[in-house]
């Protein structure tokens, strides 16, 4: 084999490995509360053009897909990732798996959440009931298996994009404050995230739900993304009024839905926003092994 052929083979193998997706883990092995069509399979939507992104819908068996950093790189921090999609689909790759891979590169265990979709055709689910329950269960499940996944149970956060940002905000403000009597031992664990990252969060957010035990927040969007820009401004004001630490980045432009893509757009926000997230996590002590990020 020539040297050039070997290099091409190595590059191809590396790219294939990078695209691998670990097996997903059901949040409720015996079925999620309120689900009647447990045997339904999720739907992978066909790509409609060269600029389209991988999307799925039909989530009736909510799950997390764990992406774990190498043992020698693990910081103990963990992040639930809620992709966006208007609660009709999940933009599973550029707001899910690619984000998880980046977080692994800085030592963070990442768990891509497939949550029930309240606004897809014929859905009977609700954002603040079923999707919220999925987010809460994901945090508890990670804490229940923290030792196995090399995670510090006091450093489990949640991040979301667009509609997933709405869900992450709900999980950060509407967690159970006393669940010690739950029948399932997993549900007795706290569902309160230790930190939150909201990336161009959508939805009608309830700023009055922010209390002084709301977790510290990282907020980011583009100014020309009007709804999320207003949400970020409102969330930041509510956090400051409650005395909750926060960091905000509102870029002049960049639009909506950029996530992390193999071929990012030309705007500076598309290639730098996740570096700002890393810096915030480092500043909070979340990337220092043994720290609780307080």
């Amino acid at each position: 084999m020539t040297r050039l052929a070997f290099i091409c083979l190595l590059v191809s193998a590396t790219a294939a490995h990078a695209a691998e997706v670990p097996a997903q883990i059901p949040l409720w092995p015996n079925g999620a509360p309120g689900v009647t069509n447990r045997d339904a399979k999720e739907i992978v939507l066909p790509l409609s053009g060269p600029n389209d992104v991988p999307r799925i819908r039909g989530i009736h068996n909510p799950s997390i897909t764990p992406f774990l950093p190498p043992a020698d790189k693990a910081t103990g921090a963990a992040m639930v990732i809620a992709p966006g999609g208007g609660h009709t689909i999940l933009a599973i790759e550029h707001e899910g798996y690619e984000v998880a891979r980046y977080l692994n590169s800085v030592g963070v265990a990442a768990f891509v959440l497939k949550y029930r979709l309240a606004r897809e055709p014929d859905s009977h689910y609700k954002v603040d009931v079923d999707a919220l329950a999925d987010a809460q269960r994901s945090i508890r499940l990670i804490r229940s298996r923290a030792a196995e996944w090399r995670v510090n149970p006091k450093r489990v956060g949640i991040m979301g994009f667009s509609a997933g940002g709405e869900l992450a905000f709900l999980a950060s403000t509407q967690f159970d404050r006393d669940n010690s009597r739950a029948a399932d031992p997993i549900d007795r664990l706290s569902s309160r995230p230790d930190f939150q990252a909201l990336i161009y969060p959508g939805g009608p957010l309830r700023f009055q739900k922010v209390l002084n035990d709301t977790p510290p927040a990282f907020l980011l969007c583009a100014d020309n993304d009007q709804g999320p820009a207003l949400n970020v401004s409102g969330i930041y004001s509510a956090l400051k009024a409650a005395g909750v630490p926060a960091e905000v980045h509102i870029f002049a432009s960049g639009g909506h839905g950029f996530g992390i893509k193999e071929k990012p757009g030309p705007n500076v926000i598309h290639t730098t926003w996740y570096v700002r997230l890393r810096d915030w996590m480092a500043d909070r002590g979340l990337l220092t092994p043994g720290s609780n990020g307080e």
Side-chain angles (χ1 to χ4, degrees):
M1 180 183 293
T2 67
R3 178 176 176 81
L4 177 61
F6 174 77
I7 292 173
C8 291
L9 180 63
L10 180 62
V11 169
S12 298
T14 302
H17 177 74
E20 289 178 359
V21 176
Q24 62 189 33
I25 298 171
L27 296 179
W28 285 276
N30 297 320
V35 169
T36 57
N37 46 350
R38 283 182 54 198
D39 296 330
K41 302 297 183 183
E42 66 186 45
I43 300 168
V44 178
L45 299 175
L47 299 178
S48 59
N51 296 321
D52 204 358
V53 295
R55 300 160 297 149
I56 61 172
R57 70 180 188 193
I59 310 299
H60 301 290
N61 293 287
S63 65
I64 51 173
T65 301
F67 288 74
L68 304 178
D72 61 350
K73 201 168 192 175
T75 63
M79 186 83 84
V80 175
I81 303 170
H87 300 292
T88 62
I89 58 95
L90 294 181
I92 197 66
E93 186 72 31
H94 78 291
E95 293 179 350
Y97 302 148
E98 287 296 342
V99 180
R101 294 179 184 116
Y102 172 74
L103 289 173
N104 279 183
S105 76
V106 296
V108 178
F111 301 83
V112 179
L113 173 63
K114 292 181 178 178
Y115 56 92
R116 286 169 282 178
L117 299 169
R119 300 191 185 116
E120 67 178 338
D122 301 318
S123 176
H124 64 276
Y125 301 128
K126 296 181 179 179
V127 176
D128 58 356
V129 177
D130 306 287
L132 177 57
D134 297 340
Q136 292 172 331
R137 177 76 175 191
S138 69
I139 293 169
R140 291 178 173 131
L141 180 59
I142 292 166
R143 288 193 167 119
S144 75
R145 299 177 64 170
E148 173 188 351
W149 288 332
R150 300 187 297 272
V151 165
N152 183 334
K154 294 182 179 180
R155 280 199 280 169
V156 179
I158 188 168
M159 73 182 298
F161 298 79
S162 193
E166 176 188 1
L167 180 58
F169 181 73
L170 284 172
S172 298
T173 55
Q174 299 188 37
F175 47 87
D176 293 331
R177 287 168 171 81
D178 182 9
N179 51 326
S180 58
R181 297 183 180 181
D184 188 331
I186 292 177
D187 288 335
R188 295 174 199 156
L189 298 173
S190 173
S191 67
R192 177 189 179 274
D194 295 304
F195 52 94
Q196 58 178 313
L198 310 181
I199 314 302
Y200 44 84
L205 304 183
R206 304 169 190 172
F207 306 136
Q208 71 274 16
K209 295 288 187 179
V210 173
L211 302 176
N212 60 6
D213 59 353
T214 299
F218 175 89
L219 311 170
L220 184 142
C221 68
D223 185 63
N224 65 344
D225 191 9
Q226 184 175 7
L230 292 173
N231 277 342
V232 165
S233 299
I235 294 168
Y236 180 69
S237 295
L239 291 167
K240 294 308 294 179
V244 177
E247 180 169 311
V248 180
H249 296 268
I250 301 181
F251 288 70
S253 61
H256 189 76
F258 40 83
I260 296 180
K261 296 179 180 177
E262 182 179 352
K263 296 180 179 179
N267 192 286
V268 65
I269 193 176
H270 300 163
T271 54
T272 64
W273 76 262
Y274 44 88
V275 181
R276 306 285 77 78
L277 173 65
R278 180 205 64 190
D279 291 346
W280 175 76
M281 294 185 73
D283 190 42
R284 297 283 312 167
L286 294 166
L287 302 186
T288 304
S291 168
N292 286 338
E294 297 177 351

